[in-house]
Amino acid sequence: MQSFTYQRAESVEEAAAAVATRPDARFISGGTNLLDLMKLEIERPAHLVDISRLPLDRIEETDEGGLRIGAQVRNSDLAADPKVRSRYPMLAQALQAGASGQIRNKASTAGNLLQRTRCPYFYDRNMPCNKREQGSGCAALQGFNRTHAVLGASQACIAVHPSDMAVAMSGLDARIETISSGSETRTIPIGDLHRLPGTTPDVETVLDHGEMIAAVTLPRPPSGRQVYRKVRDRASFAFALVSVAVIVEKSGDRIRSARITMGGVAAKPWRATAAEQRLAGAATSDNAFTDAAEAALTGAIGRGGNDFKIPLAKRTVRRTLAAAVGRA
């Protein structure tokens, strides 16, 4: 690990300014991802600004009937919060499915959203990776790509975003509150936070350098039943091969509305809007679920090792929808 300097920020404004004025500076909170990357010299910041002690660790009611979750709320605290468990059970389920208990005790809400891919080629400095070094190539295209993207990828990068929490928050239409140097603020719909790789896979979010996430706001709880399902290689401490977050509102034996978000299949949580449209007004039947699953994976492309993800994702969408309407 290379030498670096350290600063403990005393305010949000100080933290944002400290990073904005130095291109080689990074925020650090729980460190569950950044420290690993620094040890491998994939991330090489010369200056770390510690934001873990800032007063951003509260879960508060909003005037609109939702919740405002501070950027420093730990994953374990968020999953255990009674308001989250009762009103946003899908989010609690996703958090509990992620990592280990020890990591959830350290990982922050903002850090979870901004964690970087676990692609093995990204972590191996001896292999080409456009996300790590723009223009070097993507070793995963012709290499070991079992865990990689089948949607939204490009010839430059087929890595996936690893967060479970982000998938559930995308299904809940969360909004990201940020603050920049000079105390400038903005609100970003979570669906716009992460970027698809295109020709610049090294640019992973729309955040500017020095722009810091202050909170995540959830709107009023949606009507309907919420279900999160994660398919992985082992029962715990494993990233999703495919995950699906579903919210279904019924009227009798018909679906009034549905939201479907998939994880483990793209460089960002993948909202299946075409599938949602197919389900509006449809019967709660296996045929409707199959039709929605096909629509959700329209345009999916396998790269050999990850071909299995396409039928796996379809089955997972079907089963999660069935669970949401009480048929499984």
Side-chain angles (χ1 to χ4, degrees), residues 127-138:
M127 301 300 293
C129 173
N130 289 318
K131 188 178 285 292
R132 190 182 65 246
E133 184 180 350
Q134 179 66 282
S136 64
C138 176

Side-chain angles (χ1 to χ4, degrees), residues 194-258:
H194 302 99
R195 291 167 48 114
L196 293 177
T199 58
T200 56
D202 54 316
V203 184
E204 298 175 353
T205 74
V206 299
L207 298 181
D208 297 325
H209 182 68
E211 186 174 11
M212 191 179 83
I213 294 177
V216 178
T217 302
L218 300 178
R220 181 188 298 273
S223 300
R225 186 177 181 188
Q226 306 173 27
V227 179
Y228 182 80
R229 186 183 297 270
K230 180 177 181 177
V231 180
R232 48 189 165 176
D233 284 326
R234 56 182 185 270
S236 66
F237 200 29
F239 297 102
L241 293 171
V242 172
S243 62
V244 177
V246 159
I247 305 172
V248 176
E249 181 184 10
K250 294 194 303 178
S251 178
D253 61 354
R254 294 276 169 178
I255 296 172
R256 177 174 294 172
S257 65

Side-chain angles (χ1 to χ4, degrees), residues 60-68 87-88 177 217-221:
E60 304 169 297
E61 300 273 359
T62 67
D63 294 339
E64 294 74 27
L67 291 180
R68 186 177 186 271
R87 294 155 57 180
Y88 306 96
E177 299 177 15
T217 302
L218 300 178
R220 181 188 298 273

Side-chain angles (χ1 to χ4, degrees), residues 142-205:
Q142 304 300 326
F144 180 77
N145 52 35
R146 181 173 181 273
T147 61
H148 288 68
V150 295
L151 290 165
S154 71
Q155 286 299 111
C157 181
I158 58 172
V160 300
H161 193 272
S163 173
D164 290 285
M165 184 191 77
V167 177
M169 284 189 168
S170 294
L172 293 166
D173 290 331
R175 300 182 72 84
I176 313 300
E177 299 177 15
T178 71
I179 186 166
S180 303
S181 179
S183 300
E184 297 177 358
T185 62
R186 66 168 168 161
T187 301
I188 306 167
I190 193 170
D192 296 336
L193 175 65
H194 302 99
R195 291 167 48 114
L196 293 177
T199 58
T200 56
D202 54 316
V203 184
E204 298 175 353
T205 74

Side-chain angles (χ1 to χ4, degrees), residues 248 250 252-255 278-279 281-293 317-323 325-327:
V248 176
K250 294 194 303 178
D253 61 354
R254 294 276 169 178
I255 296 172
R278 296 280 187 93
L279 287 170
T284 56
S285 66
D286 292 338
N287 287 340
F289 302 154
T290 297
D291 186 45
V317 169
R318 288 198 302 268
R319 290 194 61 188
T320 312
L321 287 168
V325 299
R327 294 173 57 92

